[in-house]
Amino acid sequence: MFETVLLIGLVIFSLSLLLCLWRALKGPTLWDRVIALDSFGLNLIGFIGILMIRQSTSAYAEVVLVLGILAFVGSVSLAKFLERGVVIDRDSH
Amino acid sequence: MIEILISLFVLSGSLLSLIGSIGIMRLPDVYARMHAATKSATLGVVLLILGTFTYFLAEGVFSLQLLITIVFVFLTAPVAAMIISRSAHRNGVELWSQTKHDELMESYPEHLEPERDNEKADNS
């Protein structure tokens, strides 16, 4: 029963990852792609979380943490770069 | 008993993530998609990592990395969404054609107005 629930969760997360990938490939503007990649990273965290329960190992905990940090830093730096052409600007707020 | 709780966490988390992704695919413009992505996907992932944390806690392993992940995702996902949508708005990404009110445009000082208003002013 528990195995079935975990498999259903894996299938739902795969569907959700495919939808995010579709929007990242198709998206009309660049910001659509940034949002889709951010959400892709979050869904990848969930996928790996289910894999951790399924394989009953806590070895992937660092992977989950690093993926979360990378998703945040990546989308913020991409958004700042697309806004002004620089990542850190000292002139404005 | 603990497995029922973890199953509830896993099912609700994955369903919320799926709803968020359907919103990313179906909604009409960047700002609405940002809304869908940042609300339901964040709550779904936080619930699922909470389920994982509960599973390892029941097995006797206290995983601090998972707790830090929950706090980090909960704090940073709204910030990232706000920065992305402000960047899109400043670069003049079009709103949906049926949008009634653009409140961010009114709060701009003069020197921060995006390009599209200058173009409209020149054309008219």
Coordinates of all heavy atoms in Angstrom, one line a residue, chain A residues 2 5-6 8-9 12-13 15-17 19-20 22-23 28-29 31-32 34-36 38-39 42-43 45-47 49-50 52-53 56-58 61-62 64-65 68-69 72 75-76 79-80 82-84 92-93, chain B residues 3 6-7 10-11 13-15 17-18 21-22 24-27 30 33-34 37 41-42 45 48-49 51-52 55-56 59 61 63 65-66 68-69 72-73 76-77 79-80 83-84 86-88 90-91 93 112:
Chain A
F2 N 1.8 1.3 0.9 CA 2.7 2.4 1.0 C 3.6 2.6 -0.3 O 3.7 3.7 -0.8 CB 3.6 2.2 2.2 CG 4.4 3.5 2.6 CD1 3.7 4.7 2.8 CD2 5.7 3.4 2.8 CE1 4.4 5.8 3.1 CE2 6.4 4.5 3.2 CZ 5.8 5.7 3.3
V5 N 1.5 4.2 -3.0 CA 1.3 5.6 -2.8 C 2.6 6.3 -3.3 O 2.6 7.3 -4.0 CB 1.1 6.0 -1.3 CG1 1.2 7.4 -1.1 CG2 -0.3 5.5 -0.9
L6 N 3.8 5.7 -3.0 CA 5.0 6.4 -3.4 C 5.1 6.4 -4.9 O 5.6 7.3 -5.5 CB 6.2 5.7 -2.8 CG 6.4 5.9 -1.3 CD1 7.6 5.2 -0.7 CD2 6.4 7.3 -0.9
I8 N 2.6 6.3 -7.1 CA 1.7 7.4 -7.6 C 2.3 8.7 -7.5 O 2.2 9.6 -8.4 CB 0.4 7.3 -6.8 CG1 -0.4 6.0 -7.2 CG2 -0.5 8.5 -7.2 CD1 -1.6 5.8 -6.4
G9 N 3.0 9.0 -6.3 CA 3.6 10.3 -6.2 C 4.7 10.5 -7.2 O 4.9 11.6 -7.8
I12 N 3.1 11.4 -10.5 CA 2.5 12.7 -10.6 C 3.6 13.7 -10.7 O 3.6 14.7 -11.5 CB 1.7 13.0 -9.3 CG1 0.4 12.1 -9.4 CG2 1.3 14.4 -9.2 CD1 -0.4 12.3 -8.1
F13 N 4.8 13.5 -10.0 CA 5.9 14.5 -10.1 C 6.5 14.4 -11.5 O 6.9 15.5 -12.0 CB 6.9 14.2 -9.0 CG 6.7 15.1 -7.8 CD1 6.2 14.6 -6.7 CD2 7.1 16.4 -7.9 CE1 6.0 15.4 -5.6 CE2 6.9 17.2 -6.8 CZ 6.4 16.7 -5.6
L15 N 4.9 13.9 -14.3 CA 4.0 14.6 -15.1 C 4.2 16.1 -14.9 O 4.3 16.9 -15.9 CB 2.5 14.3 -14.8 CG 1.8 13.2 -15.5 CD1 0.4 13.0 -15.0 CD2 1.8 13.6 -17.0
S16 N 4.3 16.5 -13.7 CA 4.5 17.9 -13.4 C 5.9 18.5 -13.9 O 5.9 19.6 -14.5 CB 4.4 18.1 -11.9 OG 5.1 19.2 -11.4
L17 N 6.9 17.6 -13.8 CA 8.2 18.0 -14.4 C 8.1 18.2 -15.9 O 8.6 19.1 -16.5 CB 9.3 17.0 -14.1 CG 9.9 17.0 -12.7 CD1 10.7 15.8 -12.5 CD2 10.7 18.2 -12.6
L19 N 5.4 19.0 -17.6 CA 4.6 20.3 -17.9 C 5.6 21.5 -17.8 O 5.6 22.4 -18.7 CB 3.4 20.4 -17.0 CG 2.3 19.4 -17.2 CD1 1.2 19.7 -16.3 CD2 1.9 19.4 -18.6
C20 N 6.4 21.5 -16.7 CA 7.3 22.6 -16.6 C 8.3 22.7 -17.7 O 8.7 23.8 -18.2 CB 8.1 22.5 -15.3 SG 7.1 22.9 -13.8
W22 N 7.9 21.6 -20.7 CA 7.2 22.1 -21.9 C 7.1 23.6 -22.0 O 7.3 24.3 -23.0 CB 5.8 21.5 -21.9 CG 5.0 21.7 -23.2 CD1 5.1 21.1 -24.4 CD2 4.0 22.7 -23.4 NE1 4.3 21.6 -25.3 CE2 3.5 22.6 -24.7 CE3 3.4 23.6 -22.5 CZ2 2.5 23.4 -25.2 CZ3 2.4 24.4 -23.0 CH2 1.9 24.3 -24.3
R23 N 6.7 24.2 -20.8 CA 6.7 25.7 -20.8 C 8.0 26.3 -20.9 O 8.2 27.3 -21.6 CB 6.0 26.1 -19.4 CG 5.9 27.6 -19.2 CD 5.3 28.3 -20.4 NE 3.8 28.1 -20.4 CZ 3.0 28.5 -21.4 NH1 3.6 29.1 -22.4 NH2 1.7 28.3 -21.3
P28 N 6.7 32.1 -24.5 CA 6.8 33.2 -25.4 C 7.9 34.2 -25.0 O 8.7 34.6 -25.9 CB 5.5 33.9 -25.3 CG 4.6 32.9 -24.7 CD 5.4 32.1 -23.8
T29 N 8.1 34.5 -23.7 CA 9.1 35.4 -23.3 C 10.2 34.7 -22.5 O 10.0 33.6 -22.1 CB 8.5 36.6 -22.5 OG1 8.1 36.0 -21.3 CG2 7.4 37.2 -23.2
W31 N 11.1 35.5 -19.5 CA 10.7 35.4 -18.1 C 9.9 34.1 -17.9 O 9.9 33.6 -16.8 CB 10.0 36.6 -17.7 CG 11.0 37.7 -17.6 CD1 11.8 38.1 -16.6 CD2 11.4 38.6 -18.7 NE1 12.6 39.1 -16.9 CE2 12.4 39.5 -18.2 CE3 11.0 38.8 -20.0 CZ2 13.0 40.4 -19.0 CZ3 11.6 39.7 -20.8 CH2 12.6 40.6 -20.3
D32 N 9.1 33.7 -18.9 CA 8.3 32.5 -18.8 C 9.3 31.3 -18.6 O 9.1 30.4 -17.8 CB 7.5 32.2 -20.1 CG 6.3 33.1 -20.1 OD1 5.6 33.1 -19.1 OD2 6.0 33.7 -21.1
V34 N 12.3 31.5 -17.3 CA 12.9 31.5 -16.0 C 12.0 31.0 -14.9 O 12.4 30.2 -14.1 CB 13.3 33.0 -15.7 CG1 13.9 33.1 -14.2 CG2 14.4 33.5 -16.6
I35 N 10.7 31.4 -15.0 CA 9.7 30.8 -14.0 C 9.6 29.3 -14.1 O 9.6 28.6 -13.1 CB 8.4 31.5 -14.3 CG1 8.4 33.0 -13.8 CG2 7.2 30.8 -13.5 CD1 7.2 33.7 -14.1
A36 N 9.6 28.8 -15.4 CA 9.4 27.4 -15.6 C 10.6 26.6 -15.1 O 10.5 25.6 -14.5 CB 9.2 27.1 -17.1
D38 N 12.6 27.7 -12.6 CA 12.5 27.7 -11.1 C 11.6 26.7 -10.6 O 11.9 25.9 -9.7 CB 12.0 29.1 -10.8 CG 12.1 29.4 -9.3 OD1 13.1 28.8 -8.7 OD2 11.3 30.1 -8.8
S39 N 10.4 26.6 -11.2 CA 9.5 25.6 -10.8 C 10.0 24.1 -11.0 O 9.7 23.2 -10.3 CB 8.1 25.8 -11.5 OG 7.2 24.8 -11.1
L42 N 12.1 23.2 -8.1 CA 11.3 22.9 -7.0 C 10.7 21.5 -7.1 O 10.7 20.7 -6.2 CB 10.2 23.9 -6.8 CG 10.6 25.2 -6.1 CD1 9.4 26.1 -5.9 CD2 11.3 25.0 -4.8
N43 N 10.2 21.2 -8.3 CA 9.6 19.8 -8.5 C 10.7 18.7 -8.4 O 10.4 17.6 -8.0 CB 8.9 19.8 -9.8 CG 7.6 20.5 -9.8 OD1 7.0 20.5 -8.7 ND2 7.2 21.0 -10.9
I45 N 13.2 18.8 -6.4 CA 13.3 18.6 -5.0 C 12.3 17.5 -4.5 O 12.7 16.6 -3.8 CB 13.2 19.9 -4.2 CG1 14.4 20.8 -4.5 CG2 13.1 19.6 -2.7 CD1 14.2 22.1 -3.9
G46 N 11.1 17.7 -4.9 CA 10.0 16.8 -4.5 C 10.3 15.4 -5.0 O 10.1 14.4 -4.2
F47 N 10.7 15.3 -6.2 CA 11.0 14.0 -6.8 C 12.0 13.2 -6.0 O 11.9 12.1 -5.7 CB 11.4 14.2 -8.3 CG 11.4 13.0 -9.1 CD1 10.3 12.6 -9.8 CD2 12.6 12.3 -9.3 CE1 10.3 11.5 -10.6 CE2 12.6 11.1 -10.1 CZ 11.4 10.8 -10.8
G49 N 12.9 13.8 -3.0 CA 12.3 13.5 -1.6 C 11.6 12.2 -1.6 O 11.8 11.3 -0.7
I50 N 10.8 11.9 -2.7 CA 10.1 10.6 -2.7 C 11.1 9.5 -2.9 O 10.9 8.4 -2.3 CB 9.0 10.6 -3.8 CG1 7.9 11.7 -3.6 CG2 8.3 9.3 -3.9 CD1 6.8 11.6 -4.5
M52 N 14.0 9.4 -1.8 CA 14.6 9.1 -0.5 C 13.8 8.2 0.4 O 14.3 7.3 1.0 CB 14.9 10.4 0.3 CG 16.1 11.2 -0.2 SD 16.1 12.8 0.5 CE 16.4 12.5 2.2
I53 N 12.5 8.4 0.4 CA 11.6 7.5 1.2 C 11.6 6.1 0.6 O 11.7 5.1 1.3 CB 10.1 8.1 1.2 CG1 10.1 9.5 1.8 CG2 9.3 7.2 2.0 CD1 8.7 10.0 1.9
S56 N 14.8 4.4 1.2 CA 15.0 4.4 2.7 C 16.5 4.8 3.0 O 17.1 4.2 3.9 CB 14.7 3.1 3.3 OG 14.8 3.1 4.7
T57 N 17.0 5.8 2.3 CA 18.3 6.3 2.6 C 18.3 7.8 2.8 O 17.5 8.5 2.0 CB 19.3 5.9 1.5 OG1 20.5 6.7 1.7 CG2 18.8 6.2 0.1
S58 N 19.1 8.4 3.7 CA 19.1 9.8 3.8 C 20.3 10.4 3.1 O 20.8 11.5 3.5 CB 19.1 10.2 5.3 OG 20.3 9.8 5.9
A61 N 20.0 14.0 1.2 CA 19.5 15.2 1.9 C 20.3 16.4 1.4 O 19.8 17.5 1.2 CB 19.6 15.0 3.4
E62 N 21.6 16.2 1.2 CA 22.5 17.3 0.8 C 22.1 17.7 -0.7 O 22.1 18.9 -1.0 CB 23.9 16.9 0.8 CG 24.5 16.9 2.2 CD 24.4 15.6 2.8 OE1 23.8 14.7 2.2 OE2 24.8 15.4 4.0
V64 N 19.1 17.6 -2.0 CA 17.9 18.4 -1.9 C 18.2 19.8 -1.5 O 17.7 20.8 -2.2 CB 16.9 17.7 -0.9 CG1 15.8 18.6 -0.6 CG2 16.4 16.4 -1.5
L65 N 19.1 20.0 -0.5 CA 19.4 21.3 0.0 C 20.1 22.1 -1.1 O 19.8 23.3 -1.4 CB 20.3 21.2 1.2 CG 20.6 22.5 1.9 CD1 19.4 23.3 2.2 CD2 21.4 22.2 3.2
G68 N 17.8 23.3 -3.9 CA 17.0 24.4 -3.5 C 17.7 25.7 -3.6 O 17.3 26.7 -4.1
I69 N 19.0 25.7 -3.1 CA 19.8 26.9 -3.1 C 20.1 27.3 -4.6 O 20.0 28.4 -5.0 CB 21.1 26.7 -2.3 CG1 20.8 26.5 -0.9 CG2 22.0 27.9 -2.5 CD1 22.0 26.2 0.0
F72 N 17.1 28.9 -6.3 CA 16.9 30.3 -5.9 C 17.9 31.3 -6.5 O 17.6 32.3 -7.2 CB 16.9 30.4 -4.4 CG 16.9 31.8 -3.9 CD1 15.8 32.6 -4.1 CD2 17.9 32.4 -3.2 CE1 15.7 33.9 -3.7 CE2 17.9 33.7 -2.8 CZ 16.8 34.4 -3.0
S75 N 17.6 31.6 -10.4 CA 16.5 32.4 -11.0 C 16.7 33.9 -10.6 O 16.4 34.7 -11.5 CB 15.1 31.9 -10.6 OG 15.2 31.4 -9.3
V76 N 17.2 34.2 -9.4 CA 17.4 35.6 -9.1 C 18.4 36.2 -9.9 O 18.3 37.3 -10.5 CB 17.7 35.7 -7.6 CG1 18.2 37.1 -7.3 CG2 16.5 35.5 -6.7
A79 N 17.1 36.8 -13.4 CA 16.1 37.9 -13.5 C 16.9 39.2 -13.4 O 16.6 40.1 -14.2 CB 15.1 37.8 -12.4
K80 N 17.9 39.3 -12.5 CA 18.6 40.6 -12.4 C 19.4 40.8 -13.7 O 19.5 42.0 -14.2 CB 19.6 40.5 -11.3 CG 18.9 40.4 -9.9 CD 18.2 41.7 -9.6 CE 19.1 42.8 -9.1 NZ 18.4 43.9 -8.7
L82 N 18.6 39.8 -16.8 CA 17.7 40.2 -17.9 C 17.2 41.6 -17.7 O 16.7 42.2 -18.6 CB 16.6 39.2 -17.9 CG 16.9 37.8 -18.4 CD1 15.7 36.9 -18.4 CD2 17.4 37.9 -19.8
E83 N 17.2 42.1 -16.4 CA 16.5 43.4 -16.1 C 17.4 44.5 -16.6 O 17.0 45.4 -17.4 CB 16.3 43.5 -14.6 CG 15.6 44.8 -14.3 CD 15.3 44.8 -12.8 OE1 15.4 43.7 -12.2 OE2 14.9 45.8 -12.3
R84 N 18.7 44.5 -16.2 CA 19.6 45.6 -16.6 C 20.8 45.2 -17.3 O 21.6 46.1 -17.7 CB 20.0 46.3 -15.3 CG 18.9 46.9 -14.5 CD 18.7 48.4 -14.9 NE 17.5 48.9 -14.5 CZ 17.3 49.4 -13.3 NH1 18.2 49.4 -12.4 NH2 16.1 49.9 -12.9
S92 N 20.8 51.6 -8.3 CA 19.4 51.7 -8.0 C 19.1 50.7 -6.8 O 20.0 50.1 -6.3 CB 18.6 51.3 -9.2 OG 18.7 50.0 -9.5
H93 N 17.8 50.7 -6.5 CA 17.4 49.8 -5.4 C 16.4 48.8 -5.9 O 15.8 49.0 -6.9 CB 16.9 50.6 -4.2 CG 16.0 51.8 -4.7 ND1 14.7 51.6 -5.1 CD2 16.3 53.1 -4.8 CE1 14.3 52.8 -5.5 NE2 15.2 53.7 -5.3
Chain B
E3 N 2.7 5.5 8.6 CA 2.7 5.4 7.1 C 1.5 6.2 6.5 O 1.6 6.7 5.4 CB 2.7 4.0 6.7 CG 4.1 3.3 7.0 CD 4.2 2.0 6.3 OE1 3.1 1.5 5.9 OE2 5.3 1.4 6.3
I6 N 2.5 9.8 6.5 CA 3.4 10.1 5.4 C 2.7 10.0 4.0 O 3.0 10.8 3.1 CB 4.6 9.1 5.5 CG1 5.3 9.3 6.8 CG2 5.6 9.4 4.4 CD1 6.3 8.3 7.1
S7 N 1.8 9.0 3.9 CA 1.1 8.9 2.6 C 0.2 10.2 2.3 O 0.2 10.7 1.2 CB 0.2 7.7 2.6 OG 0.9 6.6 2.9
V10 N 2.6 12.9 1.2 CA 3.1 12.7 -0.2 C 2.1 12.9 -1.2 O 2.3 13.7 -2.2 CB 3.7 11.2 -0.3 CG1 3.9 10.9 -1.8 CG2 5.0 11.1 0.5
L11 N 0.8 12.4 -0.9 CA -0.2 12.6 -1.9 C -0.6 14.1 -2.1 O -0.7 14.6 -3.2 CB -1.4 11.8 -1.6 CG -1.3 10.3 -2.0 CD1 -2.6 9.6 -1.7 CD2 -1.0 10.2 -3.5
G13 N 1.2 16.7 -1.3 CA 2.3 17.5 -1.9 C 2.4 17.3 -3.4 O 2.5 18.3 -4.1
S14 N 2.3 16.1 -3.8 CA 2.4 15.8 -5.3 C 1.2 16.4 -6.1 O 1.4 17.0 -7.1 CB 2.6 14.4 -5.6 OG 1.6 13.6 -4.9
L15 N 0.0 16.3 -5.5 CA -1.1 16.9 -6.2 C -1.0 18.4 -6.3 O -1.3 19.0 -7.3 CB -2.4 16.5 -5.5 CG -2.9 15.1 -5.8 CD1 -4.1 14.7 -5.1 CD2 -3.1 14.9 -7.3
S17 N 1.7 20.1 -6.4 CA 2.7 20.4 -7.4 C 2.2 20.3 -8.8 O 2.5 21.1 -9.7 CB 3.9 19.5 -7.2 OG 4.8 20.1 -6.3
L18 N 1.3 19.2 -9.0 CA 0.7 19.0 -10.3 C -0.2 20.2 -10.6 O -0.2 20.7 -11.8 CB 0.0 17.7 -10.3 CG -0.6 17.4 -11.7 CD1 0.5 17.1 -12.7 CD2 -1.5 16.2 -11.6
S21 N 1.9 23.1 -11.8 CA 2.4 22.9 -13.1 C 1.4 23.1 -14.2 O 1.6 23.7 -15.3 CB 3.1 21.6 -13.3 OG 4.2 21.5 -12.4
I22 N 0.1 22.6 -13.9 CA -1.0 22.8 -14.8 C -1.2 24.3 -15.0 O -1.5 24.8 -16.1 CB -2.2 22.1 -14.4 CG1 -2.0 20.6 -14.6 CG2 -3.4 22.5 -15.2 CD1 -3.1 19.7 -14.0
I24 N 1.0 26.7 -14.6 CA 2.1 27.2 -15.4 C 1.8 27.0 -16.9 O 2.1 27.8 -17.8 CB 3.5 26.6 -15.0 CG1 3.9 27.1 -13.7 CG2 4.5 26.9 -16.0 CD1 5.2 26.6 -13.3
M25 N 1.2 25.8 -17.2 CA 1.0 25.5 -18.6 C -0.2 26.3 -19.2 O -0.2 26.7 -20.3 CB 0.8 24.0 -18.8 CG 0.9 23.6 -20.2 SD 0.5 21.9 -20.4 CE -1.2 21.8 -20.2
R26 N -1.3 26.5 -18.3 CA -2.5 27.0 -18.9 C -2.8 28.5 -18.8 O -3.5 29.0 -19.6 CB -3.7 26.3 -18.2 CG -3.8 24.8 -18.4 CD -4.4 24.5 -19.7 NE -5.7 25.0 -19.8 CZ -6.4 25.1 -20.9 NH1 -5.9 24.8 -22.1 NH2 -7.6 25.6 -20.9
L27 N -2.2 29.2 -17.8 CA -2.6 30.5 -17.5 C -2.0 31.5 -18.6 O -1.0 31.2 -19.3 CB -2.1 31.0 -16.1 CG -2.9 30.3 -15.0 CD1 -2.4 30.7 -13.7 CD2 -4.3 30.8 -15.1
V30 N 2.7 36.1 -18.0 CA 3.8 35.8 -17.1 C 3.4 36.0 -15.6 O 3.8 35.1 -14.8 CB 5.0 36.8 -17.4 CG1 6.2 36.5 -16.5 CG2 5.5 36.6 -18.8
R33 N 1.2 33.2 -14.4 CA 2.0 31.9 -14.3 C 2.9 32.0 -13.0 O 3.0 30.9 -12.4 CB 2.8 31.7 -15.5 CG 2.0 31.2 -16.7 CD 2.9 31.1 -17.9 NE 2.1 31.2 -19.0 CZ 2.4 31.8 -20.1 NH1 3.5 32.5 -20.2 NH2 1.6 31.8 -21.2
M34 N 3.4 33.2 -12.7 CA 4.2 33.3 -11.6 C 3.4 33.0 -10.3 O 3.9 32.3 -9.4 CB 4.8 34.7 -11.5 CG 5.7 35.0 -10.4 SD 4.9 35.6 -9.0 CE 4.1 37.1 -9.7
A37 N 2.9 29.2 -10.0 CA 4.2 28.5 -9.7 C 4.6 28.7 -8.3 O 4.9 27.8 -7.6 CB 5.3 29.0 -10.6
A41 N 3.2 25.3 -6.0 CA 4.4 24.4 -6.1 C 5.2 24.5 -4.8 O 5.7 23.5 -4.3 CB 5.2 24.8 -7.3
T42 N 5.3 25.7 -4.2 CA 6.0 25.8 -3.0 C 5.4 25.1 -1.8 O 6.1 24.3 -1.1 CB 6.1 27.3 -2.6 OG1 6.7 28.0 -3.7 CG2 7.0 27.5 -1.4
V45 N 5.9 21.3 -2.4 CA 7.3 20.8 -2.1 C 7.5 20.8 -0.6 O 8.1 19.9 0.0 CB 8.3 21.6 -2.8 CG1 9.7 21.4 -2.3 CG2 8.3 21.3 -4.3
L48 N 5.8 17.9 1.0 CA 6.5 16.6 0.7 C 7.8 16.4 1.4 O 8.1 15.3 1.9 CB 6.8 16.5 -0.8 CG 7.1 15.1 -1.2 CD1 6.2 14.7 -2.3 CD2 8.5 15.0 -1.6
I49 N 8.6 17.5 1.6 CA 9.8 17.4 2.3 C 9.5 17.1 3.8 O 10.2 16.4 4.5 CB 10.7 18.6 2.1 CG1 11.1 18.7 0.7 CG2 12.0 18.5 2.9 CD1 11.9 17.6 0.2
G51 N 7.0 15.4 4.8 CA 6.7 13.9 4.8 C 8.0 13.1 4.9 O 8.1 12.1 5.7
T52 N 9.0 13.5 4.1 CA 10.3 12.8 4.1 C 10.9 12.9 5.5 O 11.5 12.0 6.0 CB 11.2 13.4 3.1 OG1 10.5 13.5 1.8 CG2 12.4 12.5 2.8
Y55 N 9.3 10.6 7.9 CA 9.7 9.2 7.7 C 11.0 8.9 8.3 O 11.1 7.9 9.0 CB 9.7 9.0 6.2 CG 10.2 7.6 5.8 CD1 9.3 6.5 5.9 CD2 11.5 7.4 5.4 CE1 9.8 5.3 5.5 CE2 12.0 6.1 5.1 CZ 11.1 5.1 5.1 OH 11.5 3.8 4.8
F56 N 12.0 9.8 8.1 CA 13.3 9.6 8.7 C 13.3 9.8 10.2 O 14.0 9.1 11.0 CB 14.3 10.5 8.1 CG 14.7 10.0 6.7 CD1 14.5 10.8 5.6 CD2 15.3 8.7 6.6 CE1 14.8 10.3 4.4 CE2 15.6 8.3 5.3 CZ 15.3 9.1 4.2
E59 N 12.2 6.6 11.7 CA 13.2 5.6 11.6 C 14.4 5.9 12.6 O 15.3 5.1 12.7 CB 13.8 5.5 10.2 CG 12.8 4.7 9.3 CD 13.6 4.2 8.1 OE1 14.7 4.6 7.9 OE2 13.1 3.3 7.5
V61 N 16.3 8.8 12.5 CA 17.3 9.7 12.0 C 16.7 11.1 12.0 O 15.7 11.3 11.4 CB 17.7 9.3 10.6 CG1 18.8 10.2 10.0 CG2 18.1 7.8 10.5
S63 N 17.2 14.4 10.5 CA 17.9 15.0 9.3 C 17.8 16.5 9.3 O 16.7 17.0 9.0 CB 17.4 14.4 8.1 OG 17.9 15.1 7.0
Q65 N 19.3 18.6 7.5 CA 19.3 19.2 6.1 C 17.9 19.4 5.6 O 17.6 20.4 4.9 CB 20.1 18.3 5.2 CG 21.6 18.4 5.3 CD 22.1 17.1 6.1 OE1 21.3 16.5 6.8 NE2 23.3 16.8 5.9
L66 N 17.0 18.4 5.9 CA 15.6 18.5 5.4 C 14.9 19.7 6.0 O 14.2 20.4 5.4 CB 14.9 17.2 5.6 CG 15.5 16.0 4.8 CD1 14.7 14.8 5.0 CD2 15.3 16.4 3.3
I68 N 16.3 22.4 7.2 CA 16.9 23.7 6.6 C 16.3 23.9 5.2 O 16.0 25.0 4.8 CB 18.4 23.6 6.5 CG1 19.0 23.5 7.9 CG2 19.0 24.8 5.8 CD1 20.4 23.4 8.0
T69 N 16.1 22.7 4.4 CA 15.5 22.9 3.1 C 14.1 23.4 3.2 O 13.7 24.3 2.4 CB 15.4 21.5 2.4 OG1 16.7 20.9 2.5 CG2 15.0 21.6 1.0
F72 N 14.3 27.1 4.0 CA 14.9 27.9 2.8 C 13.9 28.0 1.7 O 13.7 29.1 1.2 CB 16.1 27.1 2.4 CG 17.0 27.9 1.4 CD1 17.8 28.9 1.9 CD2 16.8 27.8 0.1 CE1 18.6 29.6 1.0 CE2 17.6 28.5 -0.8 CZ 18.5 29.4 -0.3
V73 N 13.2 26.9 1.3 CA 12.3 27.0 0.2 C 11.1 27.9 0.6 O 10.7 28.7 -0.2 CB 11.8 25.6 -0.2 CG1 10.6 25.7 -1.1 CG2 12.9 24.8 -0.8
T76 N 12.5 31.6 0.4 CA 13.1 32.2 -0.8 C 12.2 32.1 -2.0 O 12.4 32.9 -3.0 CB 14.4 31.5 -1.2 OG1 14.2 30.1 -1.3 CG2 15.4 31.8 -0.1
A77 N 11.2 31.2 -2.1 CA 10.4 31.1 -3.3 C 9.6 32.4 -3.6 O 9.5 32.8 -4.7 CB 9.5 29.9 -3.2
V79 N 10.4 35.4 -2.7 CA 11.3 36.5 -3.1 C 11.7 36.3 -4.5 O 11.8 37.3 -5.3 CB 12.6 36.4 -2.1 CG1 13.6 37.4 -2.5 CG2 12.2 36.6 -0.7
A80 N 12.0 35.1 -4.9 CA 12.4 34.8 -6.3 C 11.3 35.2 -7.3 O 11.5 35.8 -8.3 CB 12.8 33.4 -6.5
I83 N 11.1 39.0 -7.6 CA 12.1 39.6 -8.4 C 11.9 39.3 -9.9 O 12.1 40.2 -10.7 CB 13.5 39.1 -7.9 CG1 13.8 39.7 -6.5 CG2 14.6 39.5 -8.8 CD1 15.1 39.3 -5.9
I84 N 11.5 38.1 -10.2 CA 11.3 37.7 -11.6 C 10.2 38.6 -12.2 O 10.3 39.1 -13.3 CB 11.0 36.2 -11.8 CG1 12.2 35.4 -11.4 CG2 10.6 35.9 -13.2 CD1 11.9 33.9 -11.3
R86 N 9.0 41.5 -11.2 CA 9.4 42.9 -11.3 C 10.3 43.1 -12.5 O 10.2 44.1 -13.2 CB 10.0 43.3 -10.0 CG 10.1 44.9 -9.9 CD 10.9 45.3 -8.7 NE 12.2 44.7 -8.7 CZ 13.1 45.0 -7.7 NH1 12.7 45.7 -6.7 NH2 14.3 44.5 -7.8
S87 N 11.2 42.2 -12.7 CA 12.1 42.3 -13.8 C 11.3 42.2 -15.1 O 11.6 43.0 -16.1 CB 13.1 41.1 -13.8 OG 13.7 40.9 -15.0
A88 N 10.3 41.3 -15.2 CA 9.5 41.3 -16.4 C 8.7 42.6 -16.6 O 8.6 43.1 -17.7 CB 8.6 40.1 -16.3
R90 N 9.5 45.6 -15.6 CA 10.3 46.7 -15.9 C 10.8 46.6 -17.4 O 11.2 47.6 -18.0 CB 11.5 46.8 -15.0 CG 11.2 47.5 -13.7 CD 12.5 47.7 -12.9 NE 12.2 48.3 -11.7 CZ 13.1 48.5 -10.7 NH1 14.3 47.9 -10.9 NH2 12.8 49.1 -9.6
N91 N 10.8 45.4 -17.9 CA 11.3 45.3 -19.3 C 10.1 45.3 -20.2 O 10.3 45.0 -21.4 CB 12.0 43.9 -19.5 CG 13.5 44.1 -19.1 OD1 14.3 44.5 -19.9 ND2 13.8 43.8 -17.8
V93 N 7.1 43.5 -20.4 CA 6.4 42.4 -20.9 C 4.9 42.7 -20.9 O 4.4 43.3 -19.9 CB 6.7 41.1 -20.0 CG1 5.8 40.0 -20.4 CG2 8.1 40.8 -20.2
L112 N 11.8 55.6 -13.5 CA 11.8 54.1 -13.6 C 10.8 53.5 -14.5 O 10.6 52.3 -14.6 CB 11.6 53.5 -12.2 CG 12.8 53.6 -11.3 CD1 12.5 52.9 -10.0 CD2 14.0 52.8 -12.0

